Amino acid sequence: MRIKAKLFPYPVLANSFNNDYIDSEFDILLNQKITRNSIIIKMLPQLMNNGLEQLIKDGKASFFMHIECPYTCFREAYAIPFEGKMIEISADKVEGDIQLCPFIVALGDLPDYTNDCFNKDYENTSFYLERGNILAIGKEKTITIEKENDNLSNVPSIFAVTEIKDENYEDIVIDYTGDKICLRLPSIVFRKFVSMNQNNPNAQPVLHSMLIIPALIKCIEELKQKTDSLYEYEERRWFKVLNKAAKNVGYELNPESLPNIDSFVLSQKIMENTVGRGIINLHKIAIEGEEYED
Amino acid sequence: MKINILSEDVILTLTSPENQKLVLKEIKEKPDNSWLKDWFGDQVFIPSKIEIDDDLSFEIDKLNPESTDFINAKRLYEGIKGITESAAFDQRLWLGLTFDRFYDYMKNRFNVEREANLINRWFMPEKNKKRSLYRQGISMLWWYVYLTYDKEREDPYELTKFIFDHKDLFINLNYRGYSNSKDIRLSILQALKDFESDGGDVNKKSMFSGLYKYLSFLGGAYLLDIFSKEEIYERCYAQLVRLSDQHSNRQYSFKL
């Protein structure tokens, strides 16, 4: 559940988007562990507001953690006691992002609800609240599930080289709009690529220099242009893997670092100097006459 | 028997914009899926970990293809019952079934001449997004049952049958966040079904859309998930009555 900043017909403790209450805080702290088969989430409520605390102690309201995975239609609201709670969600039930939103909710009607910490706009005012009404909203959180074990088969690479069957196309296309970085090659080029890639390991750095390096440069340059909207890329598999690979060679793909990144240098580092190795191997193939079978 | 899935690279080749026209031509003109072998050799399909009944087959009705949706959805759901929600989210599975086992069914059900939006039915262009899952010819059958199957009923497929007879109201419901909750979803459908059985008209967009708007409005101030199924049902039924009255009186307002 994504809670946008919104107006309620009565005061709600929601420090992230309103000031209906003063000197008050509410959140549910999280500690999660993602294992191969499940997601274990420990939740501990934090509340600074005597009126709401008393309502919960009297059983008239309760803490809830609303957990939702929109992709798999998993959606549950868990009542959380003061001392906290641990829940376990099967990894089979969720995919991608899990959204968590903490609430305090009225468990029964509250005919004259008021609170000493209401903003002075509501001073000496009481409200008729009903069972189910939201009294407080904490900070939304997202847990991203990256499963190590693929459901159906092995985890594939972030690059896909595919064939353009239509013979009218002569250009190579680099497309990073999906989960993978796709390199689409005209039919004749694709067949030569597959043949060399499979039959001659020496050709691989050359092929990588000709295809993968320009694709990586294009992606990194795109990210450099979009530092204000990196979130558009964060859910794509290629971004996650590229980000991890960049970290391994000492770079960060964040808005602060990206403008200073030389995309060719970073691509070279990620691909372990494939251009240099490619030139040496090309020499072996072209000058020294190393053979390969087409 | 294991379900054969399509590899990601095969899917990317079939769905690339440059190949789209050719793919549709192959589907339209070739009698079977043998063209896939011409395109990809012997490595079109990969066996998955998911089991499917050996004798699972689909009804095919040449005159009225849509009429087989409910019965085939039920067969599919029962035929691959061990599948997890997470695996059912994977397009490789559904496109594997589309281009392998159920190719003939797809050719008949989503024939080129009859289906303007063929790409959405054969593929999942909005990759792995819910909307694509609910549109694609095979995944739609499984997900529609998954979302409506209720083992607590004498006939667990009672609401499944209802939504296959009222696809518009179900498609519209799935766009609403609260429909992710099984209790909320089933209560809404039960209210719509009962309202229709009691003589009401739920096929008008203003009726089902009016009900969904009311629930969105309600969800603005209430945590709907804490209500029991009965409470959701009663609120929905009462709102349908109000909407029906408003249509007669041409007045529009919300009442909580």
Side-chain angles (χ1 to χ4, degrees):
Chain A
M1 183 186 277
R2 298 253 189 234
I3 300 289
K4 294 172 195 150
K6 60 181 178 181
L7 297 171
F8 283 80
Y10 55 87
V12 170
L13 170 57
N15 289 343
S16 59
F17 62 85
N18 72 26
N19 59 354
D20 290 353
Y21 284 68
I22 54 162
D23 302 328
S24 304
E25 299 277 347
F26 163 62
D27 206 359
I28 295 182
L29 301 182
L30 288 185
N31 188 343
Q32 74 269 11
K33 189 178 166 197
I34 302 170
T35 70
R36 192 179 171 84
N37 299 317
S38 64
I39 297 102
I40 298 160
I41 307 170
K42 286 183 188 167
M43 295 169 281
L44 185 64
Q46 304 278 297
L47 177 62
M48 195 176 84
N49 180 286
N50 291 338
L52 288 170
E53 190 175 323
Q54 196 55 50
L55 280 180
I56 295 169
K57 283 180 179 162
D58 294 344
K60 293 177 179 170
S62 175
F63 298 113
F64 281 92
M65 182 62 96
H66 192 271
I67 303 183
E68 185 165 9
C69 175
Y71 289 152
T72 58
C73 294
F74 176 89
R75 176 171 157 142
E76 296 284 342
Y78 297 90
I80 314 288
F82 268 108
E83 62 273 21
K85 185 172 187 163
M86 185 179 85
I87 59 155
E88 188 170 355
I89 300 169
S90 166
D92 290 339
K93 296 269 177 202
V94 291
E95 185 72 35
D97 288 347
I98 306 178
Q99 301 159 2
L100 299 98
C101 192
F103 290 100
I104 298 175
V105 177
L107 295 178
D109 292 353
L110 303 171
D112 295 304
Y113 176 66
T114 188
N115 195 295
D116 292 342
C117 295
F118 275 168
N119 187 308
K120 68 177 180 185
D121 290 350
Y122 303 110
E123 227 168 24
N124 303 319
T125 312
S126 67
F127 295 85
Y128 190 101
L129 299 189
E130 292 182 345
R131 192 173 107 74
N133 271 142
I134 294 165
L135 301 170
I137 303 173
K139 202 174 166 193
E140 277 178 74
K141 287 110 186 160
T142 301
I143 298 176
T144 301
I145 310 296
E146 287 180 55
K147 290 179 183 170
E148 285 177 15
N149 57 326
D150 188 358
N151 282 306
L152 304 177
S153 62
N154 298 324
V155 179
S157 140
I158 59 162
F159 292 99
V161 181
T162 63
E163 182 180 1
I164 299 174
K165 292 281 182 182
D166 190 332
E167 287 172 1
N168 294 319
Y169 282 90
E170 293 177 348
D171 296 331
I172 292 174
V173 179
I174 299 173
D175 179 359
Y176 45 80
T177 54
D179 261 345
K180 281 187 166 187
I181 299 168
C182 293
L183 296 145
R184 299 200 285 268
L185 313 184
S187 211
I188 178 83
V189 181
F190 178 79
R191 280 182 224 144
K192 294 292 176 194
F193 169 84
V194 171
S195 165
M196 283 190 283
N197 200 40
Q198 284 176 351
N199 297 321
N200 190 339
N202 278 336
Q204 278 182 5
V206 182
L207 296 170
H208 287 172
S209 304
M210 295 173 81
L211 291 171
I212 306 292
I213 291 285
L216 277 177
I217 291 172
K218 193 173 177 189
C219 290
I220 296 165
E221 286 299 319
E222 168 80 7
L223 297 174
K224 288 175 73 169
Q225 300 297 317
K226 299 278 179 66
T227 49
D228 292 340
S229 51
L230 279 184
Y231 56 87
E232 288 175 23
Y233 301 91
E234 282 167 355
E235 286 199 1
R236 296 182 199 172
R237 195 195 303 154
W238 67 257
F239 179 86
K240 289 175 186 168
V241 174
L242 189 61
N243 200 14
K244 212 179 269 181
K247 275 183 185 159
N248 288 341
V249 292
Y251 288 76
E252 293 278 344
L253 300 183
N254 59 37
E256 294 74 36
S257 309
L258 270 166
N260 301 318
I261 287 177
D262 181 322
S263 52
F264 179 69
V265 171
L266 177 56
S267 304
Q268 272 278 76
K269 283 186 188 289
I270 288 172
M271 295 303 293
E272 297 169 329
N273 193 26
T274 193
V275 177
R277 287 185 290 119
I279 291 172
I280 292 167
N281 286 5
L282 191 59
H283 188 270
K284 281 182 195 166
I285 297 165
I287 308 295
E288 297 167 24
E290 190 171 299
E291 291 177 357
Y292 80 96
E293 289 183 13
D294 193 351
Chain B
M1 154 186 272
K2 306 276 188 205
I3 293 180
N4 281 331
I5 61 170
L6 280 188
S7 77
E8 271 196 291
D9 285 359
V10 167
I11 294 172
L12 287 168
T13 305
L14 292 174
T15 53
S16 82
E18 298 84 9
N19 286 334
Q20 218 150 79
K21 272 187 191 165
L22 267 184
V23 170
L24 292 182
K25 193 167 175 277
E26 300 281 36
I27 292 172
K28 185 177 175 181
E29 293 177 2
K30 302 281 168 65
D32 54 33
N33 67 353
S34 56
W35 60 273
L36 287 167
K37 204 170 178 181
D38 300 335
W39 278 49
F40 303 105
D42 291 327
Q43 294 176 339
V44 185
F45 300 106
I46 308 165
S48 70
K49 302 172 192 166
I50 298 175
E51 294 281 343
I52 186 166
D53 284 352
D54 287 356
D55 52 0
L56 172 63
S57 64
F58 276 0
E59 296 274 327
I60 293 179
D61 185 326
K62 289 197 182 298
L63 292 175
N64 187 8
E66 203 178 337
S67 66
T68 62
D69 283 0
F70 170 66
I71 185 70
N72 289 335
K74 202 172 148 184
R75 285 184 190 179
L76 182 68
Y77 192 74
E78 289 175 354
I80 50 172
K81 230 171 187 171
I83 190 175
T84 65
E85 290 86 343
S86 173
F89 182 72
D90 195 319
Q91 65 166 342
R92 292 172 299 165
L93 172 76
W94 303 117
L95 298 193
L97 287 169
T98 297
F99 283 93
D100 183 27
R101 193 161 182 144
F102 299 123
Y103 193 83
D104 292 341
Y105 163 79
M106 286 294 290
K107 283 266 289 180
N108 182 65
R109 176 67 180 85
F110 301 106
N111 188 296
V112 178
E113 277 83 20
R114 273 177 279 176
E115 188 64 38
N117 209 354
L118 204 68
I119 293 292
N120 286 330
R121 299 305 195 174
W122 282 79
F123 298 101
M124 297 189 179
E126 297 167 66
K127 192 170 173 285
N128 279 357
K129 297 284 181 278
K130 243 167 94 173
R131 196 175 289 199
S132 273
L133 279 174
Y134 297 166
R135 275 188 197 164
Q136 202 277 337
I138 303 297
S139 66
M140 177 261 282
L141 297 176
W142 189 90
W143 276 96
Y144 273 30
V145 181
Y146 172 78
L147 293 169
T148 53
Y149 182 86
D150 186 1
K151 65 180 178 193
E152 288 171 19
R153 290 165 192 265
E154 196 181 325
D155 174 10
Y157 296 99
E158 185 186 347
L159 292 177
T160 312
K161 177 85 176 69
F162 175 72
I163 58 116
F164 272 107
D165 292 337
H166 300 78
K167 283 195 185 114
D168 278 355
L169 68 80
F170 191 58
I171 290 166
N172 207 295
L173 174 61
N174 289 323
Y175 296 148
R176 314 283 170 162
Y178 52 73
S179 74
N180 285 333
S181 158
K182 186 177 180 185
D183 283 351
I184 296 173
R185 183 172 65 240
L186 297 187
S187 304
I188 294 168
L189 293 174
Q190 187 63 54
L192 284 160
K193 183 175 183 294
D194 288 352
F195 187 73
E196 185 179 59
S197 301
D198 295 343
D201 181 2
V202 294
N203 287 312
K204 274 188 201 153
K205 192 176 177 199
S206 55
M207 286 297 287
F208 61 77
S209 187
L211 174 63
Y212 304 157
K213 276 183 198 162
Y214 158 76
L215 286 164
S216 295
F217 178 72
L218 202 63
Y222 297 79
L223 187 61
L224 295 179
D225 306 69
I226 80 151
F227 292 132
S228 67
K229 284 194 271 189
E230 292 72 27
E231 283 173 300
I232 297 280
Y233 170 86
E234 278 162 21
R235 282 180 186 264
C236 288
Y237 195 95
Q239 180 63 14
L240 286 167
V241 172
R242 281 196 290 270
L243 284 166
S244 183
D245 291 347
Q246 283 164 4
H247 282 131
S248 319
N249 303 328
R250 309 290 298 166
Q251 292 170 354
Y252 296 90
S253 64
F254 282 127
K255 184 176 179 297
L256 298 179

